[in-house]
Amino acid sequence: MTGLEVRGLSKRFGGLVVSENIDFDLKPGDRKALIGPNGAGKSTFANLVTGILAPSGGEIRLDGRDISRMGEAHRVKLGIAKTFQITTLFPRLTVRDNIRMPILEREGRGYRLLRRADGEAGIEAEVQSLIDQFELGDLADKPVRDLAYGQQRLVEMALTLALKPRILILDEPAAGVPSSETSLITRAIERLPQDLAVLIIEHDMDLVFRVARKIVVLVQGRILTEGTPSEIAANAQVRELYLGGGHD
Amino acid sequence: MRFLPLVFVALAAAAFFVFPYDLAFLTRILIMIVLVLSVDLILGYAGVPTLGQAAMYGAGAYAAGLFAIHVWADPVAGLIIGGLAGAALAFVSGLIVMRTHGLTAIMLTIAVAQICLEIANRARDITGGAEGLRGIRMEPVLGLFAFDFIGQTGYWYALIVVCVVFAALAVIGRAPFGMSLRGIHESRDRMLAIGAPVYWRLVLAYTLGGAVAGIGGALAAQITQLVSLETLSFTLSAEALIMLILGGTGRLYGAVIGTVLFMTVHHLAAANDPFNWLFVIGGMVLAMVFFLPSGLISLGHALKGGRK
């Protein structure tokens, strides 16, 4: 099958089990959200899928191919990309330079010593189209550290999308973004390419319910339930365990 | 900024005529600039601190010296040999150093230079040991320009090498490889997340830096006709780093300005007060770190009240 298949995935840190027997599918066009209380193992799951962490057990397959033991760089080449919980950009480089970097890597230009990095018309056009897609035109030549946090999140999404991933993992895309700027993030997610498989890990329930078509609830490293937003909203167990716990 | 390289070359040419009796000292500055530029590639571009760049400089110096004595005394061929020696040593040691970060990496760079120093010291039959490697007699540059004892040929030769190295590093800095080094400097995690082979990029950067340092060492061997153990010393590595930080990292100009400033102050202070000149150097470094932490190249910005 195409897409991401996770079967029986486990991760232990010493005696601490942070992921236990997780089964999970993500197909092209999916918009899934992964929610759960703090410490449920959401980020660990994302790191297992991207290859930052090695699993203790179970399997991760991409298009039927086992990638469980593959390194991070290799998985990126196969099309798995992720944004970080805390914005991770090149702060002193401009928006344009930030977005160009993954394209140069994707196209295997990284060892070129003589031609200018910004000297290829095809690559520059692609950079520009991403800048336009995320409405970053006015900021394109500013260093990203001078941007508002919400805008930096957009740059990070543009940068990640520049890898032309097939699986995109957004780790808390709205974390730290002031509520006045959350709509920017929501809109950007809504505009992602239709055939892209997207997994969103998020605390902001408004955002989750706006963009996700399926929601997976993770509690203490296990999947509690999976369903459509309305099913999850109606699920008594979820309400008690998670949504009821101080969520307004 | 576009004209700055031309200004430097013009100043360097002017210095030749204004200080005709200080050519040996001016040439030492030029040679040192090559070494400091190599540190800028590693620290300024890629963000990897090193206190062992003298290892590659010394390797280049000994390789060029031995090559001139035993094989061929052509200066340009000697520069290439020196560069290759520096690159080879940097590549091999880089395979280990780049597996580590921060303090561990710094300690390893120091260790590599110390090992090279000890090898050069022990291999007296080849290197001359503490006596230094003597008997280097260079042929004319390109078969045309013989080295003279006043050092005129040496000065122009060194200046041309500085210009070539500077231009090459400027080109690399703007190329995808240079950008990827800046990316690693800014965020290693982000580079890994976009699938960049960070380790190999750093090994290559270190190797290129080693080549440049080796060329600097070769230049020193050819012009001074002597290679001493000092070329491998910790002091040299540390001074190269200080010069770069004084000038400012990551933009090449800083390496030039910092080296000229450090060596000139050193020269004048040591001439005026042979016993206390280190105070002057120390005071200058302290003042710089406090008032201009991004180095002299940020002076303009600091005066305007801007960010670094």
Side-chain angles (χ1 to χ4, degrees), chain B residues 13-89:
Chain B
F16 177 85
F17 296 104
V18 178
F19 305 108
Y21 303 110
D22 293 307
L23 286 183
F25 169 64
L26 294 175
T27 308
R28 282 215 316 277
I29 293 182
L30 291 173
I31 294 169
M32 199 65 195
I33 286 175
V34 177
L35 175 62
V36 178
L37 282 171
S38 81
V39 180
D40 202 20
L41 172 64
I42 299 164
L43 175 67
Y45 283 6
V48 177
T50 168
L51 269 173
Q53 199 62 2
M56 276 59 88
Y57 178 85
Y62 277 105
L66 291 168
F67 183 75
I69 293 170
H70 300 294
V71 186
W72 190 23
D74 181 72
V76 177
L79 284 187
I80 293 170
I81 294 295
L84 288 176
L89 177 62

Side-chain angles (χ1 to χ4, degrees), chain A residues 121-167:
Chain A
I123 288 179
E124 292 314 292
E126 193 180 340
V127 171
Q128 189 59 47
S129 82
L130 281 160
I131 287 172
D132 294 340
Q133 184 186 338
F134 288 89
E135 297 172 0
L136 293 163
D138 298 340
L139 309 166
D141 295 309
K142 283 191 178 177
V144 293
R145 68 172 177 195
D146 291 348
L147 269 53
Y149 198 70
Q151 293 165 335
Q152 292 188 10
R153 294 308 265 178
L154 293 183
V155 175
E156 191 170 15
M157 283 175 69
L159 185 154
T160 310
L161 212 56
L163 291 166
K164 290 201 174 150
R166 292 180 305 131
I167 310 283

Side-chain angles (χ1 to χ4, degrees), chain A residues 190-225:
Chain A
E190 285 168 348
R191 287 192 194 170
L192 289 172
Q194 284 309 311
D195 56 345
L196 187 64
V198 183
L199 172 65
I200 302 151
I201 297 168
E202 186 51 73
H203 275 297
D204 184 325
M205 285 304 133
D206 294 334
L207 188 148
V208 167
F209 280 89
R210 272 190 69 176
V211 300
R213 287 180 218 128
K214 278 279 180 63
I215 297 176
V216 178
V217 184
L218 200 65
V219 178
Q220 293 180 341
R222 289 164 167 274
I223 290 181
L224 180 72
T225 182

